[in-house]
Amino acid sequence: MTSVIDGKAVAASVLEECRAETAELKARGITPGLAVVLVGEDPASKVYVGSKARTCGDLGIYSRKIELPATTTQEELIAVVEELNADPAIHGILVQSPPPKHIDEEAVVRAIDPRKDVDGFHPENVAKLALEDNTGFVPCTPAGCMRLLAAAGVKTAGAEAVVIGRSMIVGKPMALLLMAKGSDATVTVAHSRSRDLPAICRRADIIVAAVGRPEMVKADWVKDGAVVIDVGINRVDDPTTKKGYRLVGDVAYDEVAPKCAAITPVPGGVGPMTIALLMKNTLQAARQLT
Ligand code: NAD
């Protein structure tokens, strides 16, 4: 029997933890605060920023949405970040990705005070993750994947884990988390230059797919009883839906699911976890800064 890992339910329980932690901080006179900076008019980014602000509001976290025009220069954006760095009401700062092309995203991330870098993308937090120093911030999506594995009762110690994708946002931090002490998996990181990806995946007890290619992972890539975490969010045309598209993961769910011990669906798997872990990171920042 395949167990479908319910990301919405696990995220809801993480958010309940956050609600209690927020109340505790407020009782000590500390209101946690998150600033989200959006440059330009990207419609998907607007939706993400809106839902981050709504989740903050629901938990009692102060949120500040800063919307800047697409013509904002890098210097202007960095000046906004520096103001937020100095603002005691703000504990977490994130600049919604992707910024317009004329902005060097890495330079902006480096301008964020690492103690407020709740996305976990600043080099200091990347280093802390590699060093297994838990005062740093872990990127929200891979942290969410680890929570899903734990919630599903998956034993990672000694397991063969294959992470497909080596991005700084998902693949690399995911590999570090799986190999860290306490998780103790044996990790292979595959990417666009990997030879014979199906054979690599067939070894895996745990597959984490973070590629951005619709339904790439097929049934014959997956061994019986594997656990599959599908991070991919891809739009595919579907004229039968009102919007004209639907969302699919990087895993061919219908054919892969019957072989798995456990699998995350798309949507409703990893997606809801990312925002929940962002709230967790904001509370960690508020605790550490006060
Ligand atoms: P990315 O484009 O930065 O990285 C993709 C990685 O996949 C690269 O390392 C590349 O080497 C690898 N890759 C590309 N083609 C490949 C192939 N044919 N075979 C093997 N590896 C291949 O993407 P990302 O930011 O890591 O995101 C990956 C996916 O996860 C996207 O669909 C994105 O939308 C989704 N995502 C979801 C969440 C969430 O909250 N659920 C968060 C972040 C990203």
Side-chain angles (χ1 to χ4, degrees):
M1 261 295 278
T2 306
S3 140
V4 179
I5 304 174
D6 183 347
K8 273 193 217 153
V10 182
S13 79
V14 174
L15 290 173
E16 282 319 303
E17 286 170 26
C18 291
R19 191 185 303 285
E21 284 174 42
T22 306
E24 245 172 67
L25 281 165
K26 282 187 155 173
R28 286 168 40 206
I30 302 157
T31 299
L34 174 69
V36 182
V37 184
L38 174 64
V39 187
E41 301 288 330
D42 182 62
S45 294
K46 281 198 163 182
V47 173
Y48 290 141
V49 166
S51 67
K52 285 168 188 173
R54 259 195 319 280
T55 309
C56 282
D58 179 48
L59 298 179
I61 295 175
Y62 166 66
S63 80
R64 194 184 297 165
K65 199 159 77 175
I66 299 165
E67 294 185 273
L68 302 172
T71 50
T72 304
T73 65
Q74 183 159 315
E75 291 67 32
E76 286 165 340
L77 177 56
I78 288 181
V80 168
V81 166
E82 281 168 354
E83 258 174 56
L84 295 168
N85 283 343
D87 187 336
I90 298 297
H91 305 102
I93 303 169
L94 79 82
V95 179
Q96 185 63 45
S97 189
K101 288 200 167 47
H102 64 277
I103 287 175
D104 173 358
E105 195 168 4
E106 221 176 286
V108 176
V109 167
R110 281 170 196 259
I112 298 173
D113 181 336
R115 297 169 306 167
K116 296 191 178 186
D117 166 42
V118 285
D119 262 340
F121 298 159
H122 189 285
E124 195 168 310
N125 287 313
V126 176
K128 282 185 171 177
L129 178 59
L131 294 164
E132 300 183 26
D133 172 345
N134 62 14
T135 66
F137 296 101
V138 178
C140 303
T141 301
C145 294
M146 294 303 290
R147 290 287 295 240
L148 288 177
L149 288 170
V154 176
K155 304 244 177 307
T156 51
E160 288 273 354
V162 171
V163 178
I164 320 173
R166 58 179 164 183
S167 76
M168 293 306 296
I169 298 173
V170 191
K172 254 185 224 173
M174 188 73 220
L176 286 169
L177 288 168
L178 283 164
M179 79 170 79
K181 282 187 206 80
S183 304
D184 301 312
T186 302
V187 183
T188 302
V189 181
H191 48 77
S192 52
R193 305 294 299 274
S194 295
R195 238 185 307 127
D196 203 353
L197 188 55
I200 295 170
C201 289
R202 274 193 287 271
R203 293 207 303 260
D205 303 306
I206 300 167
I207 296 176
V208 180
V211 188
R213 292 187 182 255
E215 302 183 322
M216 184 181 81
V217 177
K218 307 292 184 207
D220 64 351
W221 297 26
V222 178
K223 82 172 175 194
D224 282 327
V227 173
V228 174
I229 305 289
D230 189 353
V231 183
I233 302 178
N234 309 291
R235 273 187 188 194
V236 294
D237 292 340
D238 185 348
T240 67
T241 65
K242 213 161 112 198
K243 289 178 180 162
Y245 69 85
R246 67 195 157 87
L247 296 180
V248 299
D250 291 340
V251 177
Y253 185 89
D254 291 343
E255 59 179 86
V256 170
K259 298 187 80 177
C260 297
I263 185 167
T264 61
V266 177
V270 176
M273 296 301 290
T274 299
I275 214 164
L277 272 293
L278 174 66
M279 298 299 124
K280 267 272 180 218
N281 280 356
T282 302
L283 296 171
Q284 180 188 334
R287 272 196 312 274
Q288 290 180 177
L289 281 163
T290 52

